[in-house]
């Protein structure tokens, strides 16, 4: 089957890397993948290396309601995308026809409008991938869920039960298959000695991801002479949306006169720095302790300390620490515990390693092929 996948991040975010891991492994099945990328970025180099054909199409409109309450502002900010959207749709339809695409894979829920239009004009079956949490009690989200389950998707994947349960709650009667597909990590087990004091963060530099909270943790560690260094890895936004938050972080570090926290910027090979980490930290405000960063750390035997309640990947006090409600006091308690108990970090690391097989891609590709086979039977 010929598959057309959509990448909105160009390698700058987790959904883009997760798609690449799927496509890379699908190469060894009886399927051929084509990629449409909305942004230029490091992922194109990876696709070239794997000899997977991709197209750059910047004229794609996306919108999804967020929990930050700025949905109208976000919508207004995305209106300029709508102006060139028809051109993007036209180009994509040409790609579908020229490459005889059988199935479309929408890798980001924000492309629901594109998916609906492609469904109408091409009649191609669609695998839909839900990767982020929708806000509760939001009318727009309910409408989007209804459209996806009733008119767009022939098969739906979710990265955890959290997202799947949300969909089931708002559309109980849908017969579209809904399966959980954990993200894949190709990172290898870390056999080298890690630093005893480096705590790393990998991800978006944003308020929602709680990077400012890490600065507060670093300040307390500095005040208490807890010997930890905090390294923040992620693309630093110097212009446009996100710039103010980046400047706020720099100002806060300066005000506190901290010498134990560093904004490192984006790195193309995070595994090099993850291998040197004692611990990974993720103090997100979104109750989502299950991103690519968590999975990649686990497969390298690096425990994580994260906020959230979902224990599908981090199991509290087994392979990491989970804090249901953000608390500086609890975070410092765990950091002090790791210093005081000699083998505590090794215990957590061994338990991470015991779960790494869940994310090696074996079950994920089996599930993706099941989806393709299910759809191919419908086509016939």
């Amino acid at each position: 089957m010929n598959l057309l996948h959509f990448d909105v991040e160009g390698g700058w975010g987790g959904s883009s890397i997760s798609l690449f891991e799927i496509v890379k492994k699908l190469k060894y099945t009886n399927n051929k993948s084509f990629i449409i990328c909305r942004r230029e970025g490091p992922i194109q180099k990876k696709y070239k290396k794997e000899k997977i054909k991709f197209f750059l199409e910047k004229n794609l409109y996306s919108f999804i309601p967020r929990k930050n309450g700025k949905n109208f502002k976000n919508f207004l900010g995305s209106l300029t995308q709508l102006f060139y959207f028809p051109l993007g749709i036209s180009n994509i339809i040409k790609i579908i026809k020229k490459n005889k695409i059988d199935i479309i894979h929408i890798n980001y829920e924000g492309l629901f409008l594109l998916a609906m239009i492609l469904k109408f004009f091409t009649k191609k079956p669609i695998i839909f991938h839900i990767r982020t949490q929708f806000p509760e009690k939001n009318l727009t989200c309910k409408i989007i869920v209804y459209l996806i389950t009733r008119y767009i998707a022939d098969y739906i994947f979710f990265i955890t039960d959290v997202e799947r349960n949300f969909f089931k709650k708002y559309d109980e009667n849908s017969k579209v298959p809904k399966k959980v597909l954990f993200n894949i990590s190709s990172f290898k087990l870390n056999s080298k000695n890690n630093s005893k004091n480096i705590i790393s963060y990998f991800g978006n530099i944003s308020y929602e991801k709680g990077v400012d909270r890490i600065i507060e943790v670093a300040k307390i560690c500095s005040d208490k002479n807890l010997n930890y260094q905090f390294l923040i890895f992620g693309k630093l936004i110097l212009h446009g949306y996100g710039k103010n938050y980046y400047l706020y972080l720099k100002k806060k570090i300066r005000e506190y006169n901290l010498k134990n926290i560093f904004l490192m910027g984006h790195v193309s090979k995070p595994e090099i720095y993850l291998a040197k980490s004692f611990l990974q930290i993720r103090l997100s405000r979104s109750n989502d302790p299950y991103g690519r960063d968590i999975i990649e750390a686990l497969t390298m035997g690096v425990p994580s300390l994260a906020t959230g309640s979902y224990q599908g990947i981090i199991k509290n006090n087994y392979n990491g620490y989970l804090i249901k409600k953000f608390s500086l006091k609890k975070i410092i308690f765990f950091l002090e515990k790791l210093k005081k108990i000699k083998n505590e970090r090794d215990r957590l690391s061994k338990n991470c390693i015991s779960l790494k097989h869940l994310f090696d891609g074996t079950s994920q590709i089996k599930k993706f092929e099941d989806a393709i086979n299910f759809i191919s039977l419908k086509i016939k």
Side-chain angles (χ1 to χ4, degrees), residues 57-100:
E57 179 51 68
K58 296 182 180 180
N59 299 314
L60 298 181
Y61 174 76
S62 68
F63 172 77
I64 204 72
R66 297 297 184 192
K67 294 182 177 182
N68 60 14
K70 299 177 182 177
N71 290 315
F72 185 67
K73 184 179 178 182
N74 293 343
F75 173 70
L76 289 177
S78 68
L79 282 178
T80 52
Q81 296 177 18
L82 271 175
F83 185 78
Y84 297 101
F85 190 35
L87 178 60
I89 292 168
S90 175
N91 292 338
I92 291 164
I93 290 173
K94 288 175 185 175
I95 290 169
I96 289 170
K97 288 179 179 178
K98 185 178 180 181
N99 295 282
K100 298 179 181 179

Side-chain angles (χ1 to χ4, degrees), residues 134 141-149 166-167 170-171:
F134 284 23
C141 282
K142 291 179 184 178
I143 293 169
I144 293 170
V145 169
Y146 184 81
L147 291 173
I148 291 173
T149 54
F166 179 89
F167 264 60
Y170 289 113
D171 193 19

Side-chain angles (χ1 to χ4, degrees), residues 9 26 35 41 172 178 205 220 222 240 246-247 249 256 265-266 270-271 309 325 334 336 342 359:
E9 296 177 315
L26 282 173
I35 319 297
E172 296 175 353
K178 301 177 181 71
I205 309 298
I220 296 174
S222 179
Y246 165 64
L247 294 176
L249 296 178
Y256 289 157
H266 176 81
E271 61 270 30
S309 55
K325 190 174 180 181
F334 287 128
E336 288 180 328
K342 185 180 179 182
F359 311 101

Side-chain angles (χ1 to χ4, degrees), residues 198-203 209-211 213-218 221 229-233 261 274 277-284 293-294 297 302-307 314 321 323 326 328 331-332 335:
I198 291 178
I199 298 177
S200 299
Y201 166 82
F202 296 86
K209 294 300 181 185
V211 179
R213 290 174 164 181
I214 302 174
I215 294 175
E216 300 302 323
V217 174
C221 286
Q229 277 198 339
F230 296 83
L231 304 183
I232 311 297
F233 295 95
I261 185 166
L274 190 52
S277 300
F278 182 68
L279 188 73
Q280 180 177 242
I281 192 164
R282 180 187 174 102
L283 304 181
S284 171
D293 53 337
I294 299 293
V302 178
S304 293
L305 188 160
T307 48
I314 300 176
Y321 300 123
I323 300 167
F326 175 71
L328 284 170
I331 292 166
I332 297 303
L335 295 183

